[in-house]
Amino acid sequence: VGNAFIEDTIGKTVYSFDLKEAIERERLTPYDYHPHLVELTLEEFAEFNRLTDLIARMTAREKTKEVGFSETTKRKLNERARLVKKAQEKFQAFFNVFDYAPKKATIVYVFDEQVPKMLHELKERYNLKVHGIVAETKSEERAKILKAFNRGEIDVLVAIKCLDEGVDIENCQYAYLLASSTNPREFIQRRGRVLRKAFEKRKSHIHDFVTIAPEDYPIEDERKENVIVRELPRVAEFVRLASNTPESDRTVSDYVYNLGIYYKYSEMNPWDLQRDEKIDRGVDEDG
């Protein structure tokens, strides 16, 4: 709607400079994308299914209305989204990767309430200089933290969505996404944070922890599909321009192929996928 209004008022796009061209012309760094599949626990998946069934009943009643989702339905959608974001196994999956990875110039995105725990674990396990940035961090303090990070005085930033827009973090070379919404603006902004040019920075790396259903859960595939289908827009977009596309694509494409939903993933962009009926439209799942 916003784009249509701008075109009607001002006119069509005069010039565009997309990410692909920016990387090719060395205005941004190329990046490798590393998706890691992380299973929900049996308890988490049972709760995910309970919320999915409840949301389906609520939205069925609301389809006759033309005012969008009710506040009650939105709360349940956000509750389900939070369940996926803070999946218990993501922390262990992160440390399994981080143990063998470079430690400096790193941003770790977690769910809001997980910031203190992640800060504690990073300090205890690796003796790193780490700092957190949350919504309550005042702008003056935030500016000092980012300057220290860009100078290399802070090894790791732990953050939530408050670092998504309008922040220049050129020193960041490694990003770990433990919590992401289905909102394309959020995950595209996060990718942009790690691609800024910096001295001696040749390539960036994005590690994405993609939530899936438990492999051994005794239930039909459609229920398993409901979990990962919400993650596919982000994966498809990040794979599209990654330097290691064949490698980065294989992990998720093999999984969705076995589920029989490869057609929902292949050659589609985030906005196409968001229009799929199985993805909740019009809801910003950030709480």
Side-chain angles (χ1 to χ4, degrees), residues 70-118:
S70 68
E71 290 303 314
T72 303
T73 302
K74 288 180 182 179
R75 284 196 295 271
K76 292 302 176 184
L77 286 165
N78 286 326
E79 187 177 341
R80 185 177 63 178
R82 288 193 294 270
L83 177 71
V84 172
K85 288 181 182 182
K86 60 180 183 179
Q88 294 179 30
E89 298 300 322
K90 284 187 178 182
F91 263 58
Q92 188 55 54
F94 164 75
F95 289 115
N96 289 345
V97 176
F98 197 65
D99 278 346
Y100 303 98
K103 303 294 188 287
K104 296 188 176 184
T106 293
I107 292 182
V108 181
Y109 286 98
V110 297
F111 187 63
D112 304 30
E113 62 195 43
Q114 296 174 324
V115 172
K117 179 182 177 182
M118 180 59 78

Side-chain angles (χ1 to χ4, degrees), residues 42-278:
L42 295 177
E43 294 79 9
E44 287 171 336
F45 191 42
E47 178 63 8
F48 180 92
N49 290 330
R50 186 191 71 82
L51 288 168
T52 298
D53 291 341
L54 178 60
I55 290 165
R57 292 195 298 269
M58 296 170 73
T59 54
R61 291 196 300 266
E62 294 169 5
K63 279 184 178 179
T64 56
K65 305 175 184 178
E66 297 184 359
V67 293
F69 293 128
S70 68
E71 290 303 314
T72 303
T73 302
K74 288 180 182 179
R75 284 196 295 271
K76 292 302 176 184
L77 286 165
N78 286 326
E79 187 177 341
R80 185 177 63 178
R82 288 193 294 270
L83 177 71
V84 172
K85 288 181 182 182
K86 60 180 183 179
Q88 294 179 30
E89 298 300 322
K90 284 187 178 182
F91 263 58
Q92 188 55 54
F94 164 75
F95 289 115
N96 289 345
V97 176
F98 197 65
D99 278 346
Y100 303 98
K103 303 294 188 287
K104 296 188 176 184
T106 293
I107 292 182
V108 181
Y109 286 98
V110 297
F111 187 63
D112 304 30
E113 62 195 43
Q114 296 174 324
V115 172
K117 179 182 177 182
M118 180 59 78
L119 289 171
H120 174 77
E121 291 290 336
L122 288 170
K123 290 176 182 178
E124 288 293 310
R125 291 177 185 237
Y126 310 107
N127 193 30
L128 294 170
K129 297 177 182 177
V130 300
H131 215 297
I133 294 182
V134 295
E136 293 75 22
T137 306
K138 295 182 179 180
S139 57
E140 298 84 359
E141 178 66 13
R142 189 177 303 182
K144 291 179 182 178
I145 294 169
L146 292 176
K147 285 182 180 179
F149 180 77
N150 283 328
R151 291 194 298 263
E153 297 167 7
I154 294 175
D155 301 321
V156 181
L157 286 179
V158 180
I160 58 173
K161 61 177 293 184
C162 57
L163 281 190
D164 289 347
E165 298 187 40
V167 180
D168 193 11
I169 318 176
E170 66 271 11
N171 188 49
C172 178
Q173 190 168 358
Y174 304 92
Y176 292 82
L177 311 181
L178 276 70
S180 286
S181 80
T182 59
N183 186 340
R185 180 177 288 108
E186 176 187 291
F187 56 77
I188 287 173
Q189 288 284 352
R190 289 185 176 183
R191 178 176 59 182
R193 299 285 78 75
V194 75
L195 302 188
R196 296 290 189 269
K197 298 283 288 184
F199 181 66
E200 294 186 350
K201 180 178 172 183
R202 298 292 178 260
K203 180 177 284 188
S204 299
H205 298 266
I206 300 173
H207 291 270
D208 190 1
F209 295 83
V210 181
T211 312
I212 62 173
E215 280 296 312
D216 57 353
Y217 197 83
I219 203 164
E220 64 272 18
D221 281 352
E222 186 175 351
R223 287 299 186 107
K224 292 186 175 183
E225 170 189 338
N226 288 340
V227 180
I228 194 170
V229 75
R230 310 170 55 74
E231 306 272 77
L232 294 182
R234 182 177 73 254
V235 176
E237 172 59 24
F238 283 6
V239 164
R240 185 173 63 89
L241 295 179
S243 301
N244 63 333
T245 290
E247 174 192 340
S248 66
D249 184 54
R250 192 174 302 115
T251 300
V252 174
S253 62
D254 285 353
Y255 181 81
V256 297
Y257 181 83
N258 290 333
L259 281 182
I261 57 170
Y262 186 78
Y263 68 96
K264 293 186 178 182
Y265 166 68
S266 178
E267 299 179 359
M268 300 183 76
N269 66 48
W271 292 271
D272 290 335
L273 283 166
Q274 278 212 322
R275 285 191 289 268
D276 191 288
E277 289 184 355
K278 284 191 177 292

